[in-house]
Amino acid sequence: MSLNVVILAAGQGKRMHSALPKVLHALAGKPLLRHVIDAARALHPACIVVVTGHGGEAVREALAAPDIAFALQEPQLGTGHAVMQAVPLLGAAATTLILYGDVPLTPVDTLKSLVGAASGGMAILTAELDDATGYGRMVRSGASDGERPASGASDGERPAWGASDGERPSPGRITRIVEHKDASPAERAIREVNSGIMAVPTAYLKDWLSQLSNNNAQGEYYLTDIVPLALADGVAVESATAPHAWEVLGVNSKSQLAELERVHQRNIATALLEAGVTLADPARIDVRGLLSCGQDVRIDVNCVFEGDVVLGNDIVIGPNCVLKNVCIKAGTRVEAFSHLEDAEVGAHCRIGPYARLRPGAQLDEHVHIGNFVEVKKSVIGAGSKANHLAYVGDSDVGKNVNIGAGTITCNYDGVNKFKTIIGDGAFIGSDSTLVAPVTIGAGAYIGAGSTITKQAPPDKLTLTRAKQMTVDAWKPPKKAGTLPAS
């Protein structure tokens, strides 16, 4: 089945109290609208059209891509009016799936079920809510009003909070959607609500949109009003039910954004647990990208994973660590409060606590990077150690090198960066300063407190140290006005 996707993203989001368009607020590290676009792409549609309005230019700049077309809704006159703006960009022979840019967590499998349900007509995605206040109820044939929950959110705000995840047998075909304000007491007892997400044959959609009226209190064109038009044309209105209510929840406020973030993170944590990852507390992990884990991975509390993170087998991540675009091989331990970004870490390394690996850090196996050590754009050979209070930048460090406490590579002259090369087996004494460009030969020893500006030959001791002296006549300074001791 050929598929068009229309994503409605024109809302202002007044309750967000932000200059940033609502659909650009981040959930799990990426804009709400990006989540929806990614789900749409997984369906391999013929086209994706994003309808923008408030902050449209910012939305286009943030999410422009070759496979995305944009349509402008100005002014904003309801959901039906929003879809009208996309119509000229839609292939008539396809089914059109209508999504919302502030409903980020609808799974691809749920969308596939919805599209499949529309094969014989149009289909609406529904969900059941414990409290359906404010949402459009799905009225079905063959059931008395109030007995069967009907699905749907009202045409305004996105789906509700405090929802039930239970399943419900369908009582019959959808006959209409009644908005909360227009519903009778019996209809308000219905718990099945309209999510607003629907799949419609495009040829029918274009015809029905042209018949919509804005003769209502809001003066808007409601997409839900195509339901009676479909029934009048003898087109079946089918449904697919979201297995979990969070699949159709939308974001209208910072509070709802925070709640949905927790829902999403708990879903990720559950998937990690089911895959065999040990989490000290599933409620205290944040994954803002893709986290891939091997066997016997243990993750302590308050860790944040951003971008693409790959953890091999038997890896331990201590508490309060941040890992961004990192690949770590088997048997490595990352101790508490360490920050790793755009780095590669070999097998059986020890990182931290309080260590920082900056972009371009590449560690071979059995490397130790200890507390308050920073490594940037450097290759560290197997078995080398920098256990405390050091900076290694723009360097090639060989195997089995010991870098003492307080050592720094001076790689920057204020304009240009220069490289430090340290050969295999070298020993760098504490509080040494290596002024790049400089080479430390294999097996060389650098005496503590040295400033090295020239090549240090291999297998020799090199040091720069002023002669120690004591000044016998020296007296400590005194504050002005201090009286002499009696």
Side-chain angles (χ1 to χ4, degrees):
M1 177 189 297
S2 180
L3 186 68
N4 305 316
V5 176
V6 175
I7 304 174
L8 306 188
Q12 185 174 4
K14 290 182 180 179
R15 289 168 56 192
M16 301 297 284
H17 300 289
S18 172
L20 186 70
K22 179 170 67 170
V23 295
L24 294 185
H25 283 264
L27 183 145
K30 65 182 180 181
L32 296 169
L33 180 55
R34 173 67 68 190
H35 286 269
V36 183
I37 290 172
D38 288 347
R41 283 179 172 144
L43 299 172
H44 307 291
C47 72
I48 300 174
V49 181
V50 175
V51 181
T52 65
H54 290 284
E57 183 176 349
V59 173
R60 290 191 295 273
E61 289 179 358
L63 297 168
D67 62 338
I68 297 176
F70 291 93
L72 178 65
Q73 185 191 20
E74 185 60 45
Q76 285 78 50
L77 298 176
T79 50
H81 179 256
V83 178
M84 291 177 194
Q85 313 315 304
V87 162
L89 301 173
L90 305 179
T95 293
T96 294
L97 174 64
I98 299 168
L99 304 175
Y100 294 81
D102 59 357
V103 182
L105 299 184
T106 312
V108 174
D109 285 347
T110 297
L111 295 178
K112 287 180 178 177
S113 296
L114 176 65
V115 172
S119 60
M122 67 172 288
I124 299 171
L125 184 62
T126 72
E128 290 201 20
L129 308 180
D130 286 339
D131 180 4
T133 301
Y135 294 86
R137 308 310 204 275
M138 306 301 295
V139 178
R140 293 177 177 268
S141 62
S144 61
D145 283 348
E147 288 184 0
R148 295 292 359 138
S151 172
S154 69
D155 198 59
E157 306 242 313
R158 299 265 40 88
W161 301 87
S164 166
D165 286 343
E167 293 187 359
R168 169 199 51 77
S170 175
R173 291 190 178 277
I174 295 167
T175 59
R176 60 194 176 99
I177 301 173
V178 59
E179 299 301 322
H180 179 85
K181 62 182 180 297
D182 300 322
S184 66
E187 290 167 338
R188 290 187 180 187
I190 294 172
R191 291 173 47 232
E192 187 186 17
V193 300
N194 168 35
S195 73
I197 297 171
M198 60 180 68
V200 188
T202 306
Y204 280 121
L205 178 64
K206 292 181 177 182
D207 179 40
W208 296 333
L209 289 173
S210 70
Q211 300 179 53
L212 292 183
S213 168
N214 65 343
N215 186 21
N216 52 61
Q218 285 72 35
E220 295 185 348
Y221 298 89
Y222 295 144
L223 185 61
T224 51
D225 286 348
I226 70 173
V227 172
L229 297 175
L231 296 172
D233 285 346
V235 177
V237 180
E238 305 291 350
S239 67
T241 302
H244 308 96
W246 53 260
E247 297 182 15
V248 298
L249 294 181
V251 173
N252 298 304
S253 66
K254 294 290 181 65
S255 176
Q256 290 180 346
L257 178 62
E259 290 185 46
L260 204 54
E261 178 79 41
R262 287 301 98 209
V263 169
H264 184 52
Q265 294 299 338
R266 184 57 199 236
N267 290 341
I268 293 173
T270 298
L272 290 170
L273 291 167
E274 291 176 350
V277 178
T278 298
L279 302 179
D281 184 350
R284 289 189 284 171
I285 181 174
D286 282 85
V287 179
R288 301 168 186 169
L290 298 175
L291 173 59
S292 301
C293 297
Q295 288 186 323
D296 298 313
V297 171
R298 289 172 286 165
I299 299 173
D300 214 322
V301 299
N302 300 327
C303 290
V304 178
F305 301 89
E306 300 181 353
D308 291 336
V309 177
V310 179
L311 305 180
N313 296 336
D314 195 28
I315 286 175
V316 177
I317 307 297
N320 303 293
C321 292
V322 178
L323 280 68
K324 181 177 181 179
N325 296 322
V326 174
C327 179
I328 302 178
K329 294 186 178 178
T332 287
R333 294 182 64 94
V334 179
E335 304 292 352
F337 292 98
S338 294
H339 190 140
L340 287 64
E341 179 179 359
D342 294 313
E344 298 179 12
V345 180
H348 306 290
C349 291
R350 295 295 179 267
I351 311 298
Y354 295 97
R356 185 180 182 194
L357 301 185
R358 289 173 57 193
Q362 299 179 48
L363 279 53
D364 207 334
E365 61 184 11
H366 295 286
V367 170
H368 290 189
I369 301 296
N371 48 285
F372 304 104
V373 175
E374 180 176 335
V375 179
K376 171 255 179 186
K377 200 177 180 181
S378 296
V379 177
I380 311 293
S384 292
K385 300 177 181 179
N387 279 326
H388 19 246
L389 302 165
Y391 171 68
V392 181
D394 295 280
S395 301
D396 282 348
V397 179
K399 299 177 181 179
N400 300 313
V401 172
N402 186 89
I403 297 176
T407 295
I408 64 170
T409 58
C410 302
N411 57 327
Y412 183 49
D413 66 0
V415 178
N416 301 302
K417 299 289 182 70
F418 298 94
K419 196 164 193 174
T420 297
I421 299 174
I422 303 176
D424 294 348
F427 183 97
I428 312 299
S430 296
D431 200 28
S432 294
T433 302
L434 310 181
V435 183
V438 70
T439 298
I440 310 300
Y445 271 64
I446 304 301
S450 295
T451 297
I452 304 299
T453 60
K454 300 177 182 178
Q455 179 173 343
D459 301 313
K460 294 185 181 297
L461 172 64
T462 299
L463 70 161
T464 60
R465 190 172 296 167
K467 181 180 179 180
Q468 181 173 318
M469 60 187 296
T470 300
V471 180
D472 291 328
W474 177 83
K475 294 181 179 181
K478 296 180 179 180
K479 291 183 178 180
T482 301
L483 297 174
S486 57

